[in-house]
Amino acid sequence: MTLITCIEDLRRLAQRRVPRMFYDYADSGSWTESTYRANEEDFRKLKFRQRVAVDLNRRSLRTTMAGQEAAMPVAIAPTGLTGMQHADGEILAARAAEKFGIPFTLSTMSICSIEDVAAHTSKPFWFQLYVMKDRDFINRLIDRAKAAGCSALVLTLDLQVLGQRHKDLRNGLSAPPRLTIANLLNMASKPRWCMGMLGTSRRQFGNIVGHAQSVSDMSSLSAWTSQQFDPSLSWNDVAWIKQRWGGKLIIKGIMDAEDARLAVDSGADALIVSNHGGRQLDGAPSSIAALPGIVDAVGKQIEVHMDGGVRSGQDVLRAVALGARGVYIGRPFLYGLGALGEAGVTRCLEIIHNELDISMAFCGKRDIQQVSREILLP
Ligand SMILES: Cc1cc2nc3c(=O)[nH]c(=O)nc-3n(C[C@H](O)[C@H](O)[C@H](O)COP(=O)(O)O)c2cc1C
């Protein structure tokens, strides 16, 4: 068994095991990928203050995110097509998160449906909603998430229009994948992935196909999403969605203090500082650079979460130091899943937990609740 010591090991293994079309879908950003890269690079610019000779016994990383208990301030981000990184991917990742004791967020664009994930897990998970033009479909989706016992709705606001990822266009990304000669040859070199896919019936968008009208043709994901996603989405929609949902609401995709104030006004329980992992507005700042301004603007009124570029426990610590109540990981768990299925997601969480615990101790802190900006050098 390959020795896995860091998230980069999982990424490399996933790259070998997952067909190129789906690996590229995860490991890419929009246009020049400058924001995608900045998300990771800007974390490394933040330096810690090392402290010594502090009692470091009995350390704790436990916290809550939007009222939910979490073994560490980390949740699984919603990602589309996760069941294409590995057969039954959403179910496997949800199980790993549940066992580890952190929140799992299921995407609208998942392969395994809400009901399917609920049937294969025993604790409530979070559901991420994209607003589409078909409001009947959205109403039913909200009701389905409620019926499945989801404990928070993560409402994504930064995908009214679609950023372009060159690789997805070149690879002709679709689910299930189109069987061109190039795709078949590439898949033939990924026998584990193929065996998994042959062993499951979950190969299309489980929340959508059979539930939304005129959705039989998913041959081009980007064409379908750009037709279906609603460019007219506004804060008025947030109001009726909040009312229909009636539970915890987390607003995702905030990069500006003014929008953060509007999120507070909307009555949401938390907001996520996010540029969609560098997949939407290329040229937007990194999430970690945007975080402090938003915490300063609204941090006393609303729980502020963040995602984008978290690749280690040290990054989690940096984000918490700058005022994030918790972070979400996208690619790191996808790499774990593509590399080793459920065990890979568990390994990803173990790595981040251990790095966070030890690094927090190096900064002279025993409890994640004590972490603040003072652990970073000015
Ligand atoms: C492959 C992939 C698919 C994604 N799909 C969704 C989605 O369906 N809904 C959503 O709100 N965000 C989606 N995102 C954005 C993530 O929720 C999250 O914001 C981002 O991945 C965080 O950055 P990181 O991957 O650097 O951790 C996706 C991200 C990736 C990488």
Side-chain angles (χ1 to χ4, degrees):
M1 167 104 167
T2 328
L3 183 64
I4 303 283
T5 64
C6 58
I7 302 301
E8 177 60 13
D9 289 344
L10 290 171
R11 189 196 63 74
R12 267 187 252 132
L13 192 53
Q15 191 170 23
R16 290 217 304 270
R17 293 191 169 174
V18 177
R20 183 172 52 229
M21 174 189 291
F22 300 114
Y23 175 80
D24 281 354
Y25 170 63
D27 187 9
S28 60
S30 54
W31 288 289
T32 68
E33 303 194 330
S34 70
T35 298
Y36 176 36
R37 279 195 302 275
N39 273 349
E40 291 182 30
E41 285 163 7
D42 285 357
F43 267 111
R44 286 180 224 129
K45 294 178 190 156
L46 297 168
K47 304 296 177 203
F48 293 113
R49 274 176 73 198
Q50 176 178 299
R51 304 300 305 277
V52 295
V54 177
D55 178 2
L56 296 171
N57 273 321
R58 296 179 310 281
R59 296 189 299 280
S60 169
L61 298 180
R62 298 205 66 82
T63 190
T64 58
M65 286 174 74
Q68 179 162 332
E69 294 280 329
M72 59 178 168
V74 176
I76 301 279
T79 54
L81 282 158
T82 302
M84 285 289 145
Q85 303 292 336
H86 189 287
D88 307 333
E90 289 89 358
I91 291 174
L92 301 185
R95 280 196 188 143
E98 177 176 314
K99 287 183 198 149
F100 211 90
I102 62 157
F104 171 82
T105 318
L106 184 73
S107 165
T108 293
M109 305 302 288
S110 59
I111 299 294
C112 306
S113 69
I114 309 175
E115 292 80 7
D116 208 4
V117 175
H120 290 87
T121 50
S122 56
K123 289 200 194 116
F125 54 92
W126 295 352
F127 182 68
Q128 175 266 327
L129 184 71
Y130 276 136
V131 181
M132 297 179 190
K133 289 176 187 156
D134 180 348
R135 294 300 156 88
D136 273 353
F137 171 66
I138 294 303
N139 279 329
R140 276 182 277 123
L141 207 51
I142 294 172
D143 296 347
R144 285 168 62 195
K146 258 201 260 190
C150 293
S151 52
L153 189 73
V154 175
L155 178 58
T156 301
L157 296 186
D158 64 1
L159 212 123
Q160 287 172 267
V161 291
L162 200 64
Q164 176 178 313
R165 292 183 300 274
H166 303 316
K167 286 181 204 157
D168 290 354
L169 295 179
R170 283 193 205 112
N171 293 331
L173 178 70
S174 67
R178 246 171 303 150
L179 300 180
T180 60
I181 304 243
N183 285 342
L184 280 171
L185 283 175
N186 184 250
M187 281 193 269
S189 66
K190 321 283 176 188
R192 282 168 201 264
W193 184 91
C194 292
M195 292 302 288
M197 283 299 160
L198 289 172
T200 184
S201 56
R202 302 176 181 102
R203 291 191 215 114
Q204 45 189 3
F205 293 99
N207 293 327
I208 295 169
V209 174
H211 294 276
Q213 273 172 7
S214 70
V215 182
S216 48
D217 178 20
M218 300 288 266
S219 55
S220 163
L221 179 68
S222 59
W224 186 83
T225 40
S226 54
Q227 277 162 27
Q228 295 297 318
F229 285 44
D230 191 349
S232 77
L233 170 68
S234 76
W235 288 100
N236 293 335
D237 295 302
V238 176
W240 69 256
I241 289 168
K242 179 175 168 17
Q243 196 180 15
R244 182 153 193 128
W245 167 248
K248 292 259 189 247
L249 180 69
I250 303 174
I251 303 271
K252 179 170 187 279
I254 299 294
M255 286 294 287
D256 184 88
E258 199 49 47
D259 284 340
R261 282 186 206 103
L262 293 168
V264 172
D265 293 345
S266 78
D269 298 276
L271 65 82
I272 311 176
V273 176
S274 172
N275 52 33
H276 216 101
R279 297 164 79 79
Q280 287 289 80
L281 177 59
D282 187 33
S286 66
S287 303
I288 193 67
L291 177 67
I294 292 178
V295 169
D296 290 344
V298 298
K300 290 202 170 67
Q301 292 143 281
I302 193 170
E303 225 174 79
V304 178
H305 303 172
M306 72 83 66
D307 73 22
V310 173
R311 298 291 177 269
S312 64
Q314 287 85 350
D315 292 343
V316 179
L317 187 62
R318 291 171 169 118
V320 172
L322 290 181
R325 177 83 191 169
V327 308
Y328 298 69
I329 48 169
R331 281 129 181 142
F333 99 86
L334 292 176
Y335 298 150
L337 187 65
L340 296 163
E342 181 177 336
V345 180
T346 302
R347 190 73 196 105
C348 161
L349 298 176
E350 285 168 355
I351 288 168
I352 289 179
H353 187 277
N354 184 53
E355 290 169 342
L356 174 58
D357 174 46
I358 301 295
S359 306
M360 178 180 79
F362 278 131
C363 293
K365 300 290 178 196
R366 289 194 307 197
D367 191 329
I368 197 77
Q369 307 296 336
Q370 300 168 340
V371 168
S372 67
R373 283 186 201 186
E374 52 137 9
I375 71 159
L376 297 174
L377 289 170

